[in-house]
Amino acid sequence: MQSHKVSLASTLLYCLAIQVSSIDTLKQGQSLNSTSQLISNNGAFSLRFYTPPNSNSTYLALWFTGMSRASSPVWIGNCRNPIPTNSTPTLTLGDRGQLTITHDGGGAPIDLYAGRSSEVQNVTATLTDTGNFLVNSNGPAGLFWHSFDQPSDTLLGGMRLGVERSINRNWTLTSWAAENDPAPGAYSMEWDSSTRNLVVRRRGAAIWRSGELKYYRDESGQSRAEFENVGFRRNVFNFNFNFTVEEEEEEEYVMFSVLPFPGSPPQVLSGWRLMSDGDIVDVDRSLILAEPAEPAPPPDSAAAGIRAWAGFAFAAAVLDLVLFVI
């Protein structure tokens, strides 16, 4: 009878652990450890600790799940502060709203968000259906912090690339140092306000420009906007960008949404990843969006995306074949 009680208790604890590991929200005082994860309400994203292959470092990583074939995280929370492997990391939401990683491998705690100066109530940390991990309050304080303000190597729908001049913020992508090393690498992608181009830089030197946004209507009559040096022809990659200027030009940024292909199921999840070699890749379909040239041609040059076109010709042909088969 005693053994039956122990077995029953173990089963209940196991079920409880499964339930805790599948929630999308942390409340104050709750933690995420190396055996649990947050999963967005729609099941599209998960947040968990991750150790890359052949690595001695662990990271807090956000992933596409189930609905995508992406094999790498789309966001890393501590890319500049790796945690030693097997050091039992824990992510905790504290009484000041702080979001902190602690571990027993030595070193100071890692603050993703340092919190307020005094205690606050009704604060939660939630992984949303768009892949944005945010800390907010039910009260008037509202949004405290969110991961979309701290991009790593991947641009998701609703995430901004641009500038917020009032606080000197620049939303920029930074490549990984290597395929299995999320440390900041040699390449960055940013918004150039003077030319209204996306620019890829290698250690600060511009090596590729997107060209300006071109607006048109697709076959269904829907308004679209794509960068002139991204895509072999219209509708191949179905990213619809928009450019926004807010509050007397204090904010200027671009973001995208994903439009469905005609006759295909709606696809709302995808992204642009800046690879460790500088290439820009469609996260979901692993197709090359651009292969930056070196050095970057002048902004108005027709050669600005010349290497990208060669990559697109092949990628578009592959995608057309896939869609034909489907």
Side-chain angles (χ1 to χ4, degrees):
M1 191 64 168
Q2 180 69 24
S3 61
H4 174 72
K5 288 183 178 179
V6 171
S7 177
L8 180 59
S10 300
T11 301
L12 290 173
L13 287 173
Y14 174 78
C15 292
L16 180 60
I18 294 298
Q19 291 174 350
V20 170
S21 69
S22 63
I23 62 174
D24 63 356
T25 297
L26 291 178
K27 298 179 180 179
Q28 287 174 279
Q30 292 185 332
S31 298
L32 183 77
N33 60 35
S34 58
T35 62
S36 59
Q37 61 182 336
L38 296 183
I39 300 177
S40 62
N41 185 60
N42 64 357
F45 293 93
S46 64
L47 181 75
R48 62 184 186 271
F49 287 102
Y50 153 75
T51 300
N54 304 314
S55 174
N56 294 319
S57 298
T58 296
Y59 301 88
L60 181 69
L62 199 156
W63 304 71
F64 280 132
T65 55
M67 300 174 66
S68 172
R69 297 180 295 276
S71 59
S72 297
V74 297
W75 181 78
I76 296 289
N78 60 313
C79 58
R80 298 179 185 274
N81 297 285
I83 302 164
T85 304
N86 300 322
S87 60
T88 61
T90 301
L91 175 71
T92 303
L93 181 64
D95 57 6
R96 294 183 293 104
Q98 71 272 32
L99 199 59
T100 304
I101 300 173
T102 56
H103 59 93
D104 60 8
I110 301 167
D111 283 331
L112 299 184
Y113 169 62
R116 298 300 176 98
S117 58
S118 59
E119 291 187 11
V120 289
Q121 296 181 345
N122 300 319
V123 177
T124 57
T126 301
L127 179 58
T128 69
D129 290 347
T130 61
N132 194 6
F133 183 45
L134 55 85
V135 177
N136 66 352
S137 170
N138 294 330
L143 181 66
F144 293 169
W145 173 93
H146 60 141
S147 62
F148 274 17
D149 267 351
Q150 311 291 329
S152 49
D153 70 331
T154 302
L155 182 68
L156 298 174
M159 185 183 287
R160 300 174 179 183
L161 285 184
V163 295
E164 187 175 3
R165 297 182 178 91
S166 60
I167 58 174
N168 198 31
R169 190 206 310 271
N170 192 346
W171 294 289
T172 304
L173 297 186
T174 303
S175 68
W176 288 17
E179 182 179 359
N180 292 321
D181 183 0
Y187 296 90
S188 64
M189 183 163 67
E190 63 186 43
W191 176 249
D192 183 351
S193 300
S194 62
T195 62
R196 293 189 172 177
N197 277 215
L198 292 173
V199 179
V200 173
R201 300 182 183 276
R202 185 181 186 277
R203 305 193 188 283
I207 63 169
W208 177 85
R209 298 180 188 275
S210 65
E212 294 185 1
L213 274 176
K214 297 297 183 181
Y215 295 86
Y216 66 96
R217 291 191 179 276
D218 61 20
E219 290 87 346
S220 65
Q222 186 168 3
S223 178
R224 296 280 302 272
E226 296 175 350
F227 287 101
E228 56 187 338
N229 295 328
V230 179
F232 180 64
R233 63 179 182 274
R234 291 175 177 176
N235 302 334
V236 170
F237 293 104
N238 70 319
F239 292 100
N240 186 32
F241 274 84
N242 64 76
F243 167 71
T244 303
V245 178
E246 292 185 356
E247 299 178 4
E248 299 181 352
E249 299 190 1
E250 286 299 311
E251 290 187 24
E252 182 178 322
Y253 57 86
V254 291
M255 63 172 59
F256 74 83
S257 58
V258 180
L259 300 177
F261 286 109
S264 298
Q267 181 187 11
V268 296
L269 300 175
S270 195
W272 283 22
R273 172 170 287 131
L274 181 62
M275 305 296 288
S276 59
D277 61 1
D279 285 353
I280 304 169
V281 173
D282 177 334
V283 171
D284 182 51
R285 290 161 288 196
S286 299
L287 296 174
I288 295 175
L289 295 169
E291 296 177 279
E294 237 183 296
D300 295 331
S301 170
I306 194 165
R307 281 189 60 196
W309 288 95
F312 284 124
F314 175 75
V318 171
L319 184 57
D320 283 347
L321 177 61
V322 170
L323 291 175
F324 176 78
V325 171
I326 293 174

